[in-house]
Amino acid sequence: MPGLISSLKNWDDQRTETFIGNLLRVGVLLAASVVGIGAIIFLHKYGGMASDYRAFHGEPEQFRTIRGIFHEALTFRGRGIIQLGLVLLMATPVARVIFSIWAFAAEKDRMYVFFTVIVLAVLLFSFLGSGI
Amino acid sequence: MNTLEFTALVGAGSFVAGLLGALTGLGGGVVLVPLLALFFKVDIRYAIGASLVSVIATSSGAAAAYVKEGFSNIRIGMFLEIATTIGALAGAFLATRIPTTAIAIVFGVMLLYSAYFSRKPRLPNERNLPPNPLATRLKMNGSFPEAGGIRHYNVQNVPAGFSLMFGAGTLSGLLGIGSGAVKVLAMDQAMKIPFKVSTTTSNFMIGVTAAASAGVYLSRGYVDPGLAMPVMLGVLAGSFLGSRILVETETKWLRIIFSVVIAVLGLQMLYHGLTGKI
């Protein structure tokens, strides 16, 4: 197979993609583990209580902001830990975009550094601009 | 129903959705919201928040397997993500402003389209198209390994693909789904990108697109930990298993059954939306 691989002109892209794939997988597994730990604490404490999602109330402040979620998670509240896992999950694609900027810069591809910075700006606007 | 029973049932339902989604290649996200809203009587806003989170999980989880095959094209993906992320932000803001009945109706139409899309016979792309000046400047043309050697492709019609991607992003942000069907339509049909490259690049883009609206949903209080937990873990486990078992002979029937399920859910969402029951 070496002939096949070296004849692929975008081998650098290939290596970058493999790294990105592993980065995403590690991020997801980490997030799922944190959610799983939170789930055990949450179900142990509230498993017997009634569950009702018929009406929309919106989550309280401590589950809507990064500061609130960290505070809840650090005091070992189950739902806070779950929410922290979900924030880690949401951060995984952001980490991928940040890594892509670095990878395009290493390839000296200024045009794609620019495109990727736009995508990162939109993501940061979503997370920071909406007042989390 | 107490919380333990609810968590177990939602987790099991999400597992099946993820499993079928991966086995059929149709994605499990699109059936999650109707499952939660119609069967578990969850408010559609909580359902969308939980589904969006699971979409990030499955896209990122599957990406590792896809990129190793060497089909996805990160330049195409990254350029089009400008359109999908801006669309997703717009969709998420729209979702907080329009009535839930309207969201249900759009969802119903999207489900019916997905069912149609999965049954539609796919014409093979024309090969050896001439290079397109814009796509060439954007360095989108690529190659991938296939039986008999390396196949090169020249990307076409970038503006049309970019516009369709904005629409795909808006639907993703509005409905909390990956909208892979629209993404593949944009790449495979409009931009003439080979189907394998389109589907894997689409999957790659879904996580970033969903992350763009996730921030808005989280800050608006749509992401409930008690609900998102079984949905995310269930779908992730289901799609992980689904991508590992190969049932070549069964897939055709599975696809037919799954697309019928999607169509029925679409009609139900339309009915509930139109009668104001959601």
Side-chain angles (χ1 to χ4, degrees):
Chain A
M1 292 286 279
L4 181 89
I5 289 170
S6 60
S7 65
L8 277 172
K9 68 173 183 184
N10 44 9
W11 163 239
D12 270 342
D13 282 6
Q14 205 61 39
R15 209 166 42 180
T16 304
E17 286 181 45
T18 306
F19 184 87
I20 289 175
N22 291 333
L23 177 85
L24 293 175
R25 188 157 51 184
V26 169
V28 169
L29 289 178
L30 182 70
S33 314
V34 175
V35 170
I37 293 167
I40 293 167
I41 299 174
F42 167 67
L43 290 175
H44 180 69
K45 203 167 174 189
Y46 298 105
M49 286 175 69
S51 138
D52 188 7
Y53 292 100
R54 277 163 203 263
F56 182 76
H57 308 291
E59 294 306 303
E61 178 85 28
Q62 69 264 33
F63 297 136
R64 283 193 283 128
T65 63
I66 301 281
R67 183 194 293 254
I69 290 168
F70 265 100
H71 180 264
E72 290 293 302
L74 289 175
T75 47
F76 294 102
R77 308 272 167 87
R79 278 180 291 180
I81 296 174
I82 294 173
Q83 211 72 334
L84 180 68
L86 299 181
V87 169
L88 283 176
L89 183 68
M90 294 172 192
T92 308
V94 182
R96 184 209 122 186
V97 171
I98 293 171
F99 174 76
S100 299
I101 294 177
W102 179 83
F104 284 129
E107 288 180 37
K108 300 198 170 38
D109 188 339
R110 284 196 191 164
M111 182 165 67
Y112 271 86
V113 169
F114 176 68
F115 292 151
T116 315
V117 167
I118 297 176
V119 173
L120 181 66
V122 177
L123 289 175
L124 291 181
F125 176 77
S126 166
F127 283 100
L128 306 175
S130 50
I132 288 181
Chain B
M1 201 177 345
N2 74 27
T3 302
L4 199 59
E5 292 160 353
F6 179 83
T7 305
L9 283 176
V10 169
S14 305
F15 179 82
V16 174
L19 184 67
L20 286 177
L23 283 177
T24 57
L26 301 177
V30 82
V31 298
L32 268 180
V33 174
L35 180 79
L36 292 171
L38 302 172
F39 189 72
F40 288 103
K41 305 288 178 208
V42 170
D43 183 280
I44 194 165
R45 284 161 285 195
Y46 284 134
I48 288 173
S51 166
L52 191 71
V53 166
S54 75
V55 163
I56 303 179
T58 47
S59 162
S60 302
Y66 285 130
V67 291
K68 286 212 179 92
E69 291 167 5
F71 296 128
S72 54
N73 183 319
I74 53 170
R75 281 196 168 74
I76 295 176
M78 196 47 83
F79 179 74
L80 295 175
E81 273 168 13
I82 298 173
T84 61
T85 50
I86 294 173
L89 259 188
F93 280 114
L94 198 62
T96 59
R97 276 165 183 77
I98 66 172
T100 51
T101 48
I103 295 177
I105 292 167
V106 177
F107 213 117
V109 173
M110 184 66 197
L111 284 165
L112 291 177
Y113 167 73
S114 299
Y116 161 77
F117 179 80
S118 68
R119 301 298 331 136
K120 191 172 62 115
R122 204 173 50 75
L123 299 169
N125 269 336
E126 307 137 68
R127 294 196 175 198
N128 305 321
L129 290 161
N132 170 291
L134 182 58
T136 306
R137 266 196 77 176
L138 292 170
K139 296 183 240 181
M140 286 178 163
N141 302 327
S143 53
F144 65 96
E146 70 170 1
I150 304 285
R151 178 170 158 199
H152 293 273
Y153 53 91
N154 289 319
V155 176
Q156 311 290 316
N157 217 344
V158 179
F162 195 80
S163 315
L164 276 169
M165 281 296 175
F166 180 80
T170 308
L171 284 169
S172 170
L174 181 66
L175 308 176
I177 58 174
S179 62
V182 183
K183 286 191 174 83
V184 172
L185 178 83
M187 287 192 272
D188 174 60
Q189 298 295 314
M191 300 172 78
K192 309 288 178 202
I193 299 168
F195 192 68
K196 268 184 181 169
V197 179
S198 299
T199 48
T200 50
T201 306
S202 157
N203 178 78
F204 204 51
M205 296 170 64
I206 285 171
V208 172
T209 309
S213 39
V216 178
Y217 277 127
L218 186 70
S219 68
R220 295 296 166 95
Y222 281 42
V223 181
D224 182 88
L227 180 68
M229 173 262 290
V231 172
M232 178 230 173
L233 294 178
V235 173
L236 192 60
S239 57
F240 186 75
L241 184 67
S243 63
R244 239 135 256 257
I245 44 177
L246 286 169
V247 273
E248 293 294 338
T249 47
E250 307 293 331
T251 312
K252 190 186 156 210
W253 284 104
L254 264 179
R255 280 179 72 90
I256 293 172
I257 295 165
F258 198 52
S259 58
V260 169
V261 170
I262 290 175
V264 171
L265 288 173
L267 291 173
Q268 282 204 303
M269 286 297 271
L270 268 181
Y271 172 75
H272 279 76
L274 291 171
T275 53
K277 283 186 189 162
I278 209 152

